Amino acid sequence: MNGVHLDPEWMWLIGGVVLLIAELVAPGFFLIFIGAAAIATGLAAMLLPLSLPLQFAIFAVLAFLAARIG
């Protein structure tokens, strides 16, 4: 019984979409920034060969910047 194997890139994209849907269900104007940062991290990870710690660092920086700008 093997589980479903998903690359981290897809996990970032799926997580970002889930957060954007959660923002629609419970509007608070905060989850949209975190969701956008997750989607941007997933796209960057798809285009560039990024290690997982670097992906987390990119996500943290993007989430912080998005929340501060928004």
Side-chain angles (χ1 to χ4, degrees):
M1 280 202 216
N2 291 337
V4 176
H5 174 70
L6 289 175
D7 293 328
E9 299 88 12
W10 287 105
M11 295 300 289
W12 285 114
L13 293 172
I14 291 169
V17 170
V18 167
L19 286 170
L20 292 179
I21 291 170
E23 179 68 30
L24 290 173
V25 172
F29 202 63
F30 179 73
L31 293 177
I32 193 166
F33 301 120
I34 308 300
I39 290 173
T41 303
L43 291 174
M46 283 186 154
L47 296 174
L48 304 169
L50 301 174
S51 65
L52 194 56
L54 186 57
Q55 290 177 23
F56 280 117
I58 290 172
F59 172 72
V61 169
L62 289 176
F64 175 76
L65 291 175
R68 292 298 294 168
I69 291 170

